[in-house]
Amino acid sequence: MPHPHIEKTYQTIINTSVSKLWNALIDPDQVKQYFFGTQQASSFAVGSPITWQGEFDGKTYLDKGVILDFQPEKRLAYSYISSWIVMEDIPENYLTVCFSIQPTEDHVVLLIRFTSYDEARAEQSEKSWEMIVNQLKALVE
């Protein structure tokens, strides 16, 4: 049975350029540096697959999704399902993540909207996004 999804938002200011931040979101070598060592792969064409694979706590994983929106240096959105969560691989069980980049005069605002299955997992996701973004900032600032 599909799970209802709740949406959360994480926002931060990053002292970098739009292009440097955008490249860090889509370049597999950079993603690997701040996103728990995962290998991201996609052509980024809307409707194309996106995958993340790697090893965490001695276990290999392969998470997958579909590119939902791709507006260079503005917005990247995708669906995904994690191999860590044992759920049927049906569209209703996929979550979404959307990165929106908003430039200002001296920094960039990164807004991350994501869905989760319930409040407990959303809270865990918020903590994960905070760790990921801190590593991202260390890479691009």
Side-chain angles (χ1 to χ4, degrees):
M1 180 175 171
H3 293 269
H5 296 166
I6 57 172
E7 185 174 284
K8 294 287 185 172
T9 301
Y10 183 90
Q11 182 173 320
T12 190
I13 293 171
I14 302 179
N15 296 310
T16 192
S17 67
V18 169
S19 61
K20 196 168 184 181
L21 175 57
W22 181 255
N23 287 334
L25 293 176
I26 64 169
D27 176 57
D29 293 330
Q30 291 185 64
V31 171
K32 191 172 189 172
Q33 292 179 56
Y34 68 82
F35 205 92
F36 306 116
T38 194
Q39 185 64 44
Q40 177 177 281
S42 183
S43 70
F44 294 104
V46 173
S48 69
I50 183 168
T51 60
W52 303 267
Q53 64 181 22
E55 187 177 307
F56 187 76
D57 284 343
K59 295 181 181 178
T60 59
Y61 63 88
L62 174 62
D63 298 346
K64 62 181 182 173
V66 174
I67 300 296
L68 302 173
D69 192 6
F70 186 83
Q71 298 174 39
E73 298 193 352
K74 292 180 183 170
R75 183 177 155 100
L76 169 62
Y78 52 78
S79 66
Y80 81 97
I81 191 165
S82 175
S83 58
W84 292 103
I85 305 294
V86 180
M87 289 199 175
E88 188 177 0
D89 187 354
I90 57 174
E92 294 83 10
N93 286 336
Y94 279 61
L95 300 175
T96 58
V97 174
C98 178
F99 298 95
S100 296
I101 297 174
Q102 303 163 350
T104 68
E105 276 188 37
D106 55 356
H107 60 263
V108 178
V109 176
L110 176 63
L111 180 67
I112 305 170
R113 286 194 181 96
F114 61 94
T115 59
S116 192
Y117 300 113
D118 55 46
E119 279 297 330
R121 288 184 178 145
E123 215 172 276
Q124 183 179 354
S125 291
E126 285 177 309
K127 290 176 184 173
S128 293
W129 280 118
E130 184 176 356
M131 289 189 314
I132 292 164
V133 168
N134 284 339
Q135 293 296 316
L136 173 62
K137 283 182 173 184
L139 180 67
V140 300
E141 288 188 327

